[in-house]
Amino acid sequence: MNRVILSLKNIDKTYGKEQVLHNISFDIEQGEICGLIGENGAGKTTLMRILLGLIQSDKGEIKSVSQHKIGSIIESPALYPNLTGHQHLQYYKTRFGLKTDITKMLELVRLPKPSWDRKVKNYSLGMKQRLSIAIALLDNPELIILDEPVNGLDPQGISDLRKMILNLRDQLGVTFLISSHILSELEFITDKY
């Protein structure tokens, strides 16, 4: 059995009179791909924002067994349209004083080499997702949180994203928490829901 890297106990969140999350509890183990499934508006993004410390829960606790780094993409990737893929990674590498090999990151996410020096405004949605995941990987996180990563992707893009996630888990031991409102998209790669 792998070690638990994140444990959620009885998480609640209310906006006004609407309770969005009620008594949410689960553990995420190292190297696991955990699917967070629910219809649109069910509170998946709210829970992910709580995990990232972007908002506070009303009740409950989150325990991290170790001080692990978390990478994330919440909602749609936020990219600068006039920067190239390579420039994006260089910007974040410099901004956070990282020593990460940018070429390795671009290769890991299988972003086609000819696109590395093209402006992101000319990228397909799938290429933007790959670049966003490369950015999320820059600081060598133990856990990556992806909010609805297959939204808007064509069937080939969805298949490529699945392969990339499995590859990152198998090669680097990265743990994933992935949300979706489409169970059939998660069933191919998740270890649990």
Side-chain angles (χ1 to χ4, degrees):
M1 182 173 183
N2 290 329
R3 69 184 175 98
V4 172
I5 63 168
L6 200 61
S7 183
L8 289 76
K9 300 289 183 207
N10 306 314
I11 302 295
D12 283 2
K13 181 65 178 176
T14 302
Y15 291 114
K17 293 183 179 183
E18 182 182 356
Q19 185 161 32
V20 179
L21 300 174
H22 177 67
N23 207 28
I24 305 296
S25 300
F26 62 91
D27 295 334
I28 301 174
E29 295 181 2
Q30 182 179 12
E32 185 172 59
I33 299 175
C34 180
L36 187 59
I37 194 80
E39 60 191 38
N40 289 329
K44 300 180 300 294
T45 300
T46 297
L47 181 60
M48 291 179 156
R49 287 176 183 229
I50 290 169
L51 288 173
L52 293 167
L54 300 174
I55 59 174
Q56 294 284 324
S57 64
D58 298 331
K59 184 185 119 191
E61 65 180 318
I62 300 170
K63 289 185 181 177
S64 177
V65 175
S66 64
Q67 285 295 93
H68 57 271
K69 297 173 190 170
I70 300 176
S72 66
I73 302 173
I74 300 296
E75 296 175 342
S76 61
L79 301 169
Y80 300 99
N82 289 317
L83 293 182
T84 67
H86 192 273
Q87 287 170 331
H88 272 88
L89 294 183
Q90 186 61 51
Y91 168 76
Y92 287 106
K93 178 181 174 176
T94 302
R95 182 171 183 218
F96 296 109
L98 305 175
K99 305 232 183 283
T100 312
D101 181 348
I102 290 173
T103 300
K104 179 182 175 188
M105 289 300 111
L106 292 168
E107 289 171 346
L108 269 173
V109 298
R110 298 180 179 164
L111 191 64
K113 194 168 186 171
S115 66
W116 294 4
D117 294 315
R118 281 198 347 240
K119 290 184 178 183
V120 168
K121 67 182 175 184
N122 299 316
Y123 278 22
S124 68
L125 182 57
M127 291 167 69
K128 288 177 183 176
Q129 285 285 37
R130 287 173 186 273
L131 178 59
S132 296
I133 292 172
I135 293 167
L137 283 167
L138 270 177
D139 200 19
N140 299 310
E142 188 173 354
L143 171 66
I144 293 184
I145 296 175
L146 301 175
D147 186 19
E148 303 272 1
V150 299
N151 275 2
L153 295 181
D154 62 22
Q156 184 61 52
I158 292 169
S159 175
D160 291 346
L161 184 67
R162 277 192 221 122
K163 289 175 191 170
M164 181 180 52
I165 289 168
L166 291 169
N167 184 51
L168 291 170
R169 192 258 324 257
D170 296 343
Q171 279 192 14
L172 302 178
V174 177
T175 303
F176 286 89
L177 175 63
I178 304 171
S179 74
S180 182
H181 62 281
I182 307 169
L183 180 62
S184 62
E185 295 304 336
L186 289 180
E187 69 183 352
F188 294 107
I189 58 171
T190 54
D191 298 307
K192 72 176 183 186
Y193 300 99

